[in-house]
Amino acid sequence: MANHSPSSPNPILCASFNQDSSCFAIGTRNGFKIFDLKSGSLCYERAIGAFTIVEMLFSSSLLAIVGAGEQPSLSPRRLCLFNTVTGMALRELNFLTSILAIRMNRKRLLVILQDKTYIYDINSLTILDTIDTVPNLKGLCAFCPSLDSCFLALPASTTKGSLLLYNVMELHSHCEIDAHRSPLAAMALSSNGMYIATASEQGTIIRVHMVSEATKSYSFRRGTYSSTIYSLSFGPSMELPDLLVATSSSGSIHGFSMCQRSRRSSSLLGSIMPVSVTDALDPANHNVLHNAAPAGVKSYAVIRKVERVADSSTSEIVAFRATICIVTFNGYFQEYNLSVSNQNEFSWVLERELSLLTVNSEVSP
């Protein structure tokens, strides 16, 4: 990672991974770019001004983009649904206040404002519901795009770390969870919608709750000193994810093994849940990769895939390997391979790194 000064303005204004972690998009002061996550190649770019939101709908040609307000035509209160094939706007929606976040799946379009969240049918753009929220200045939210467990999480308090879980397909509140004593700073739902991870503004503890029962399943200690958690990401899984990762203002990447073993078991999956919640506070379940990004530079991570490794003679799961992709707001992309043994031994290997600002497009817009 090149050492850029964190005090200089970051060239990337926003970054997002698409719903199946096959692509990611960045917004800069000049326009936006879309990259293939597996190859790292630039698939599409458009230099039409500064953008603070660029959201993809899987790998389709539809983008939801919001300007930074640096050009009169790119108001932060205007959502543009953009077609990358035609290079034209399909539809624009205007709001009274700035748009802070956008989330989508194949049925729903969610627009998060400071004190309201609008839920649209993505095909007809009919408003289906409006959620009044506590002041949400950063547009903090978490979304599971699965149509079977399509949950949206929003902060439910400005003084403590409680959250509202809302069923976006059935249009009703699911539950509230009191996760932390301090206000929330980061949230993420698992790909199957079964688990939600949270971090407070203190950033010392990461907690994981089971969505169906609103019960705490794990608590992980990130560190002793406060740090801003920029992102949380579960490994893809149909059941309990093997891994949770976090990026923080210290410039580190934190890996948390969720394949807890009971004290009576020698296999990695010997016990799906810890013997007690406090077992997950064991430092053996946590590993840190230091200096992945300069301190203070925002970074987002996603776990692209997880592979379980079995012993050839016994077929026992002895380890798993994860591919972790990171976008840093000073303009870099990194891909790491993380191996975790059944003894919770972590090994990080940097597979590739590239500058997102100098790579050339393979497809002309």
Side-chain angles (χ1 to χ4, degrees), residues 1-15 26-29 230 251 291-300 326-334 353-358:
M1 172 65 67
N3 186 19
H4 290 253
S5 171
S7 62
S8 63
N10 288 322
I12 293 181
L13 302 181
C14 68
I26 62 170
T28 70
R29 287 180 169 81
Y230 291 138
N291 302 317
V297 172
K298 186 179 289 187
S299 59
Y300 290 164
I326 300 157
V327 175
T328 62
F329 278 50
N330 63 339
Y332 287 85
F333 168 83
Q334 294 177 316
E353 179 181 28
L354 59 92
S355 169
L356 300 175
L357 305 176
T358 59

Side-chain angles (χ1 to χ4, degrees), residues 66-347:
V66 177
E70 295 183 4
Q71 293 86 3
S73 61
L74 298 177
S75 168
R77 298 188 300 274
R78 180 180 300 129
L79 166 62
C80 175
L81 297 177
F82 185 84
N83 188 313
T84 58
V85 174
T86 63
M88 302 291 290
L90 297 172
R91 183 80 179 269
E92 291 184 344
L93 299 174
N94 292 287
F95 299 87
L96 295 177
T97 60
S98 295
I99 302 166
L100 302 178
I102 298 290
R103 295 293 184 267
M104 295 186 289
N105 66 9
R106 292 188 171 93
K107 295 287 187 179
R108 298 289 186 260
L109 168 68
L110 313 179
V111 181
I112 291 87
L113 309 182
Q114 179 175 314
D115 55 7
K116 288 184 184 295
T117 293
Y118 293 95
I119 302 176
Y120 291 84
D121 181 288
I122 198 169
N123 295 303
S124 66
L125 293 184
T126 302
I127 295 180
L128 301 176
D129 202 359
T130 302
I131 306 172
D132 292 319
T133 65
V134 300
N136 185 10
L137 302 180
K138 296 180 180 179
L140 181 62
C141 64
F143 181 57
C144 175
S146 168
L147 297 181
D148 295 325
S149 302
C150 190
F151 292 107
L152 170 69
L154 295 165
S157 173
T158 59
T159 59
K160 63 179 182 178
S162 60
L163 62 93
L164 167 70
L165 275 165
Y166 188 90
N167 189 312
V168 173
M169 295 306 298
E170 298 178 8
L171 302 175
H172 65 78
S173 175
H174 176 70
C175 67
E176 282 196 22
I177 296 175
D178 291 326
H180 302 267
R181 294 179 181 176
S182 301
L184 296 169
M187 298 187 289
L189 280 155
S190 61
S191 60
N192 56 16
M194 292 176 62
Y195 297 90
I196 184 164
T198 59
S200 75
E201 292 179 349
Q202 289 188 340
T204 54
I205 299 292
I206 310 295
R207 293 201 167 99
V208 177
H209 285 76
M210 185 177 292
V211 169
S212 61
E213 301 175 7
T215 54
K216 183 167 62 177
S217 301
Y218 289 86
S219 289
F220 295 106
R221 179 170 292 281
R222 180 211 56 83
T224 304
Y225 298 101
S226 295
S227 184
T228 301
I229 303 300
Y230 291 138
S231 72
L232 295 165
S233 176
F234 287 101
S237 175
M238 296 302 293
E239 298 178 355
L240 177 72
D242 295 300
L243 185 68
L244 173 69
V245 296
T247 59
S248 71
S249 57
S250 67
S252 301
I253 310 170
H254 302 262
F256 304 96
S257 173
M258 295 182 64
C259 292
Q260 307 293 338
R261 294 175 300 141
S262 73
R263 296 182 180 91
R264 301 177 300 275
S265 173
S266 61
S267 67
L268 182 65
L269 300 179
S271 176
I272 288 298
M273 304 303 289
V275 175
S276 68
V277 169
T278 55
D279 285 352
L281 292 170
D282 186 341
N285 300 313
H286 172 213
N287 191 264
V288 185
L289 177 65
H290 296 285
N291 302 317
V297 172
K298 186 179 289 187
S299 59
Y300 290 164
V302 70
I303 304 173
R304 185 166 65 85
K305 65 177 180 179
V306 175
E307 298 175 331
R308 294 175 179 176
V309 181
D311 185 288
S312 58
S313 59
T314 64
S315 298
E316 178 186 357
I317 301 297
V318 295
F320 65 85
R321 289 192 294 261
T323 301
I324 301 170
C325 299
I326 300 157
V327 175
T328 62
F329 278 50
N330 63 339
Y332 287 85
F333 168 83
Q334 294 177 316
E335 182 178 280
Y336 289 90
N337 277 343
L338 172 61
S339 297
V340 184
S341 72
N342 62 355
Q343 302 300 320
N344 271 342
E345 297 170 338
F346 289 68
S347 175

